[in-house]
Amino acid sequence: MRFHAVSGSATRQRTDCAVVGIFESGALATATAQLDAALGGRISRLVKRGDLRGKAGESSLLDVEGGPCRRVLVVGLGRKDGFDRRRYKKVLLAAAAALAKSGARDAISYISQEPVEGTDAYYKGRLAAEAVGHALYRVPVIRSSRKPKEAALRSFGVSVAERDQKKDAERGLAHGHGIAVGAALTRDLANLPANVCTPGYLGKQAREMAREHRSVRAQVLGEPELRRLKMGSFLSVTAGSDEPARMIVLRYQGAAAKQAPVVLVGKGVTFDSGGISLKQPVGMDEMKFDMTGAASVFGAIKAAAEIGLPINIVGIVPACENMPNGRATKPGDIVHSMSGQTIEVINTDAEGRLILCDALTYARRFKPAVVLDIATLTGACVIALGAHLSAVMSNDAELATEIEEAGRRAEDRAWRMPMAEEYHEQLKSNFADFTNSCGREAGAITAACFLAKFTDGLRWAHLDIAGTAYLTGTKKGSTGRPVPLLVDFLINRR
Ligand code: BES
Ligand code: MN
Ligand code: ZN
């Protein structure tokens, strides 16, 4: 997809499809009114008849052969007041989905000419490119026949109100394109079934990314190396699986080597059966998504490489399956983490924290400026925040705020939860330094408290994406979140 910014009247630009907006009140957006006049009132007549209603996300495609454009896609913008970035993104997603179904090969959107609360030309461009990339994404479907039809759309223009906004919009479009490419990689990896997307497969994908980008290097560690590193906690999770574990390190260098990196740690459980603490069958297939944290680390680094961000990033992905067999870790077993701390495994289904804690200890060798871990860590997080916001927990209030703000700007929001001392007490053990699991109360927080025991002296934040990483039901599939949040955070690092 090619993205570009334009300015000027919709009546003068040639395109396969002009995308214009109308409000719920029936009011035409500025560019819409100009085009309507040039088309002899075709759009306003449809509004008067009640054929076009302007509800946010509704759209209709008009054939206007003969004018500067061959089609007009009229998109509802909702109510005129409160046209904010959330609605802007929603509207562009709907427009892009409609374009993808049409035969249009190129399009120009005039919606970005409208003022959008709390945003600027840069974010209008960026959110537009992200939305188009998102809507045109096709899941890697594995069928014996019937390949999904690809959209004809090859070029997308964003029209801004003033000429001097073009540069900012172009920059936003380039960043948005990078984010879309990264998020598409995340979605591909997450959507693939666990019999394809194994720890070994993720290792191969890391090497593939290093081949594609000179700024990226990959290193893949196997189980003998993990044993040498004394990652007893990580190894306890993979013990019951026939699929060998991997520890993947992706290094993106966009700045001088001496600049301290941002370290991203992603949970890469390619399938979570629960282990001996076996999950119930209903919905267990969704546990192929339990490597979305890892996939979002891949996606964020891919985006950084596409954009050419001037920072250093290290991605660390502990990847394994959580399965039950005769060698599997049993409830009550005590394991030695790489940090030296011992853990009583009360519940083998609380495996994410067991692989992350060793990865967090490993992260120290990179002398990180900050460490973020990203994980589909707890069902409790889904209960707390649902599918709308990710949870963020941190030992640094400023860092937590930075992440919340990145989420707000990227329209990929997160909300901070507390990690008060009282919660730590729930992890007390009679037999080891602490347990890996406790009661159901505050489950997302106690999981973060467990990780906090491995991040002393680090500037660290944990993102629980269990609710936001994928959709269930008829729209089942990866959302690509939190790649937009992560990349916004990386872009805005000082
Ligand atoms: N991968 C799950 C968390 C999860 C649940 C993600 C639902 C997405 C949707 C995690 O490994 C897990 O099983 N967590 C347990 C922890 C408990 C045993 C302390 C949970 O949330 O039930
Ligand atoms: Mn689990
Ligand atoms: Zn899990």
Side-chain angles (χ1 to χ4, degrees):
M1 182 67 52
R2 208 178 70 83
F3 291 102
H4 61 107
V6 299
S7 62
S9 167
T11 58
R12 278 199 292 273
Q13 271 141 356
R14 296 210 145 271
T15 174
D16 247 10
C17 186
V19 181
V20 298
I22 57 168
F23 290 100
E24 231 169 68
S25 58
L28 308 187
T30 315
T32 319
Q34 289 167 353
L35 202 60
D36 181 54
L39 296 171
R42 249 198 92 176
I43 301 171
S44 46
R45 271 201 303 280
L46 289 169
V47 173
K48 276 201 202 90
R49 281 196 209 148
D51 294 344
L52 295 176
R53 267 191 261 270
K55 256 194 84 165
E58 278 182 8
S59 71
S60 34
L61 192 63
L62 315 180
D63 163 51
V64 293
E65 194 69 65
C69 45
R70 300 175 61 194
R71 308 170 180 80
V72 174
L73 182 69
V74 186
V75 191
L77 304 178
R79 285 174 44 206
K80 194 156 191 168
D81 47 289
F83 189 50
D84 57 9
R85 61 177 68 213
R86 190 157 73 87
R87 188 120 57 79
Y88 175 76
K89 197 165 182 179
K90 177 177 174 177
V91 161
L92 270 138
L93 273 170
L99 280 172
K101 281 193 204 137
S102 81
R105 295 181 56 83
D106 69 85
I108 296 177
S109 163
Y110 295 90
I111 291 167
S112 317
Q113 287 192 3
E114 287 307 298
V116 180
E117 274 174 22
T119 186
D120 53 16
Y122 166 79
Y123 273 103
K124 282 181 185 172
R126 202 179 102 182
L127 294 170
E130 282 180 44
V132 171
H134 191 89
L136 265 60
Y137 173 81
R138 293 291 170 267
V139 292
V141 188
I142 305 172
R143 291 193 214 275
S144 51
S145 60
R146 210 157 50 85
K147 280 246 161 355
K149 224 182 131 226
E150 265 198 44
L153 197 68
R154 290 287 169 274
S155 160
F156 190 85
V158 164
S159 177
V160 287
E162 309 291 340
R163 261 187 89 139
D164 61 6
Q165 296 173 337
K166 265 175 68 176
K167 249 198 142 89
D168 282 347
E170 296 274 11
R171 186 165 163 273
L173 287 164
H175 286 185
H177 179 59
I179 292 168
V181 170
L185 172 62
T186 300
R187 295 171 82 183
D188 273 348
L189 294 175
N191 283 328
L192 284 171
N195 63 334
V196 174
C197 186
T198 58
Y201 180 89
L202 286 176
K204 281 197 195 113
Q205 293 305 304
R207 291 220 170 87
E208 174 67 24
M209 202 189 324
R211 259 195 299 280
E212 280 170 19
H213 298 276
R214 288 180 48 194
S215 53
V216 177
R217 276 174 298 156
Q219 189 188 358
V220 182
L221 311 183
E223 289 184 10
E225 285 144 302
L226 302 183
R227 275 192 289 275
R228 233 170 289 138
L229 286 162
K230 298 196 158 53
M231 294 194 173
S233 185
F234 178 15
L235 287 164
S236 78
V237 175
T238 195
S241 170
D242 288 343
E243 204 64 62
R246 294 280 186 274
M247 171 91 146
I248 301 159
V249 182
L250 274 168
R251 305 181 71 162
Y252 167 75
Q253 188 174 350
K258 64 171 194 300
Q259 198 182 102
V262 173
V263 173
L264 302 177
V265 178
K267 173 179 174 182
V269 175
T270 58
F271 189 74
D272 180 11
S273 72
I276 297 297
S277 313
L278 196 63
K279 287 184 182 295
Q280 61 164 39
V282 179
M284 208 205 274
D285 65 291
E286 288 169 20
M287 286 301 116
K288 72 171 185 175
F289 294 117
D290 212 18
M291 36 58 72
T292 307
S296 71
V297 171
F298 275 67
I301 289 177
K302 175 88 185 167
E306 290 277 333
I307 297 168
L309 287 183
I311 57 169
N312 295 330
I313 309 169
V314 178
I316 302 178
V317 167
C320 70
E321 287 182 341
N322 185 23
M323 297 287 279
N325 75 8
R327 295 196 175 282
T329 299
K330 301 167 288 294
D333 287 1
I334 293 176
V335 301
H336 290 256
S337 70
M338 185 184 177
S339 73
Q341 301 178 98
T342 59
I343 305 158
E344 185 187 5
V345 181
I346 297 291
N347 189 324
T348 65
D349 198 11
E351 85 297 342
R353 60 198 79 181
L354 294 175
I355 71 171
L356 290 170
C357 69
D358 281 344
L360 287 166
T361 301
Y362 189 75
R364 290 180 187 274
R365 67 177 55 198
F366 299 102
K367 307 237 176 322
V370 300
V371 180
L372 302 190
D373 78 72
I374 305 105
T376 46
L377 203 60
T378 65
C381 182
V382 189
I383 302 301
L385 296 175
H388 305 301
L389 273 71
S390 305
V392 56
M393 282 147 271
S394 179
N395 57 12
D396 183 310
E398 237 175 80
L399 177 59
T401 304
E402 244 185 88
I403 291 169
E404 283 182 324
E405 282 172 356
R408 226 171 280 130
R409 288 189 300 259
E411 191 42 45
D412 178 10
R413 287 168 61 195
W415 198 265
R416 188 178 185 197
M417 298 217 253
M419 278 201 310
E421 194 51 45
E422 296 88 311
Y423 296 103
H424 278 269
E425 285 163 24
Q426 289 179 234
L427 292 168
K428 286 215 165 107
S429 166
N430 286 347
F431 305 103
D433 289 337
F434 41 84
T435 65
N436 79 324
S437 149
C438 46
R440 295 167 60 222
E441 289 172 9
I445 293 173
T446 53
C449 287
F450 177 94
L451 297 176
K453 297 180 187 298
F454 299 85
T455 58
D456 253 357
L458 294 174
R459 232 184 134 215
W460 159 77
H462 156 64
L463 277 164
D464 195 333
I465 58 165
T468 53
Y470 63 94
L471 300 175
T472 57
T474 53
K475 289 187 170 166
K476 191 186 283 183
S478 166
T479 58
R481 292 177 70 179
V483 171
L485 177 155
L486 291 174
V487 180
D488 193 290
F489 175 80
L490 296 170
I491 288 170
N492 288 293
R493 295 244 1 121
R494 314 150 302 261

